[in-house]
Amino acid sequence: MTTADTRDPVHAALALVRSIALSVPAYRRFLEEHGIEVDTISTMNDLTQLPTTSKDTYRRTNILADLQPGRPEDVETISCSAGSSGTPTFWPRGQRSTDHGASMFGHVLRESADTERRTALALVTFPLGPYVGGTFMYAMLLELRRRGHRLSIATPGMDATAIAEVVSEAGESYEQIVIFAYPPIARDLLDTYGDLLQRHDVVIIVGGEPVSEAWRSLVHEMLGDSGGDRVRVVYGATDVGFVGYETAATIAIRSAAARDPKLNQTMFGAEYTAGELVQQPAFVQYQPEFTYIEVDADGYLLFTVGGVLPLVRYRVNDRGETMAGEVVRERLENAGYSALAQGIDPNGSYLLVQGRTDVAAIYSAVNIYPDYFRPAVEHISLATRLTGRFIARCEVDESQRQTLVLEVELRSQQQPDSDTAEHVRELSIASLRQLSAEYRVVHDQKGRDAEPVVRLKPFRSDGFVTGGKQKSIQ
């Protein structure tokens, strides 16, 4: 392909950027402030030289009217972010975003639930009201109904009892139930109403935060289908919309890598030895004609997307890597996994997402990110005791001495005990040392003083969210 090929994602991205520069007052002004003229943006190199944008440098410094290229009535919905990294921010959506989301979720539902042929009760448990997640998901499912997917939609929200009531009342009429949820909400539902869900053919599609392969295996066990294919992860951000989705092939690769350190190193760049905690990125397929993704010199993902609020080289502070399908296949074949390589589309586009870096506790000048604790609190040995929710913070006493504190939520009916707390502490130390070279230095110097203090908290204690996304760092 060349840049003259309109099917080339680079060509499409260049055309989109030029269009945005000409039609969006805020972005035209942004380029002028950086001394850039629209006519100079004509090659891939020109695109990579454009300054990056972000929520702080672009969205929050402009009013909505200046960020939009069209008429006010082109906006279908205005929603807001959940504010996990600060003050909630408002985002308009239009038909292009709905079409893209429906296309992506069409792939997910076609492969995981065959909803064009099998009836499904779709339960949207993401929050509604002003927030993006629930309203956007509902709009996309309505679009999929219009495209022939055999879906009926309910919006019970995040309360496990409300979800169970819908399942009890309507579930028997459908061949399957598809639940869209944040991972902790899915886990709450299984903890409380697992017996009810086991009476149905259930598929769970999760987003909003990463999950480990240990978490996926546990959910399959709780659904009574160990080794099944009932859990799919989607990746996106409030700012840029839904971006990518797991496939049967990406799940199989991630699962194999969780058992084979060599493959994990080859595919995801993370080393571990037998007995260590396994850290893996999300691994999804995406459509570059809808979402053009670059990776900057520091490893941050940059998104260029169209719509009623288009964005150019926009950074959401997720780190990651883009890979062409042929590169994925080559890595797998070099690692001795030719059979897995056959499941990868050589012309497809794939994305590794390492997680957010803008939400962290700072301990002894070391950034402590949620992903550092997740392998510990989701460890299979703690599955019967913990919900998987946690809050990490750095506390300072009157003498300004720092203590790294990890509060972990117990499952319903569980009581705090010293053995569980110690097990969480040991796993957390192992994960911190494994994932952070800076923490290893501090731990080697300070010893036990640098180790987290673990507090086991009763189910649904203050700070543990049941009606929104869990904020894991304070």
Side-chain angles (χ1 to χ4, degrees), residues 102-156:
S103 174
M104 188 184 79
F105 275 94
H107 283 281
V108 176
L109 291 174
R110 196 172 294 117
E111 188 179 73
S112 65
D114 196 17
T115 51
E116 289 170 317
R117 293 193 296 179
R118 302 180 65 219
T119 60
L121 175 62
L123 303 179
V124 179
T125 73
F126 299 128
L128 292 167
Y131 296 112
V132 169
T135 54
F136 194 23
M137 191 72 248
Y138 181 67
M140 288 186 293
L141 291 174
L142 284 177
E143 178 62 29
L144 286 173
R145 274 181 54 86
R146 287 190 283 269
R147 297 183 184 189
H149 289 257
R150 302 177 67 187
L151 301 169
S152 296
I153 310 162
T155 57

Side-chain angles (χ1 to χ4, degrees), residues 374-447:
R374 194 163 279 113
V377 298
E378 290 184 358
H379 197 270
I380 192 66
S381 62
L382 294 165
T384 61
R385 301 280 294 150
L386 307 181
T387 66
R389 293 190 185 93
F390 64 92
I391 300 170
R393 65 168 63 89
C394 183
E395 295 184 351
V396 180
D397 64 16
E398 294 178 355
S399 300
Q400 297 303 300
R401 287 188 294 264
Q402 292 182 319
T403 300
L404 183 59
V405 174
L406 179 64
E407 294 185 346
V408 183
E409 186 184 42
L410 292 164
R411 290 179 65 180
S412 179
Q413 308 301 318
Q414 297 291 326
Q415 299 298 320
D417 69 277
S418 58
D419 289 344
T420 299
E422 178 62 17
H423 191 32
V424 172
R425 190 183 74 85
E426 291 173 353
L427 289 171
S428 298
I429 294 167
S431 184
L432 285 164
R433 288 186 60 87
Q434 185 177 328
L435 299 175
S436 173
E438 293 84 359
Y439 177 82
R440 282 200 300 273
V441 172
V442 172
H443 188 232
D444 287 342
Q445 293 174 343
K446 301 180 69 172

Side-chain angles (χ1 to χ4, degrees), residues 145-394:
R145 274 181 54 86
R146 287 190 283 269
R147 297 183 184 189
H149 289 257
R150 302 177 67 187
L151 301 169
S152 296
I153 310 162
T155 57
M158 292 184 164
D159 182 71
T161 300
I163 299 168
E165 287 173 350
V166 177
V167 173
S168 297
E169 181 71 20
E172 295 294 343
S173 300
Y174 298 86
E175 294 173 83
Q176 59 190 329
I177 297 171
V178 182
I179 301 171
F180 299 86
Y182 295 133
I185 303 306
R187 177 64 189 274
D188 280 352
L189 185 61
L190 286 162
D191 280 342
T192 312
Y193 296 101
D195 291 342
L196 172 64
L197 295 183
Q198 284 192 22
R199 298 200 292 269
H200 299 273
D201 186 358
V202 174
V203 172
I204 299 177
I205 297 174
V206 296
E209 59 186 72
V211 301
S212 63
E213 287 306 302
W215 189 93
R216 192 195 309 270
S217 297
L218 174 65
V219 168
H220 280 128
E221 290 176 8
M222 298 175 80
L223 288 170
D225 187 20
S226 180
D229 182 18
R230 297 172 176 266
V231 177
R232 293 296 171 98
V233 174
V234 296
Y235 166 68
T238 298
D239 327 40
V240 298
F242 287 108
V243 174
Y245 51 91
E246 285 188 324
T247 67
T250 65
I251 293 170
I253 292 164
R254 197 169 183 259
S255 177
R259 301 187 300 271
D260 182 347
K262 178 183 176 184
L263 179 61
N264 204 68
Q265 170 66 28
T266 299
M267 288 301 304
F268 307 134
E271 297 184 36
Y272 70 92
T273 58
E276 285 189 325
L277 302 174
V278 183
Q279 178 73 4
Q280 295 180 307
F283 182 29
V284 299
Q285 187 168 358
Y286 74 101
Q287 300 168 344
E289 64 271 26
F290 285 107
T291 309
Y292 186 72
I293 305 175
E294 302 169 75
V295 182
D296 72 11
D298 296 317
Y300 290 98
L301 301 175
L302 304 176
F303 299 88
T304 296
V305 296
V308 295
L309 199 164
L311 299 167
V312 178
R313 308 196 79 221
Y314 184 88
R315 174 171 149 171
V316 298
N317 288 328
D318 281 337
R319 296 162 295 129
E321 176 185 358
T322 60
M323 287 192 292
E326 58 188 12
V327 173
V328 177
R329 290 172 69 113
E330 182 180 355
R331 290 189 185 184
L332 289 167
E333 289 168 354
N334 289 342
Y337 284 86
S338 297
L340 288 179
Q342 295 304 309
I344 292 295
D345 178 2
N347 298 314
S349 298
Y350 295 85
L351 178 66
L352 306 181
V353 186
Q354 301 288 353
R356 301 295 294 269
T357 62
D358 59 341
V359 183
I362 300 176
Y363 174 77
S364 293
V366 176
N367 288 330
I368 305 294
Y369 299 109
D371 283 352
Y372 292 176
F373 291 107
R374 194 163 279 113
V377 298
E378 290 184 358
H379 197 270
I380 192 66
S381 62
L382 294 165
T384 61
R385 301 280 294 150
L386 307 181
T387 66
R389 293 190 185 93
F390 64 92
I391 300 170
R393 65 168 63 89
C394 183

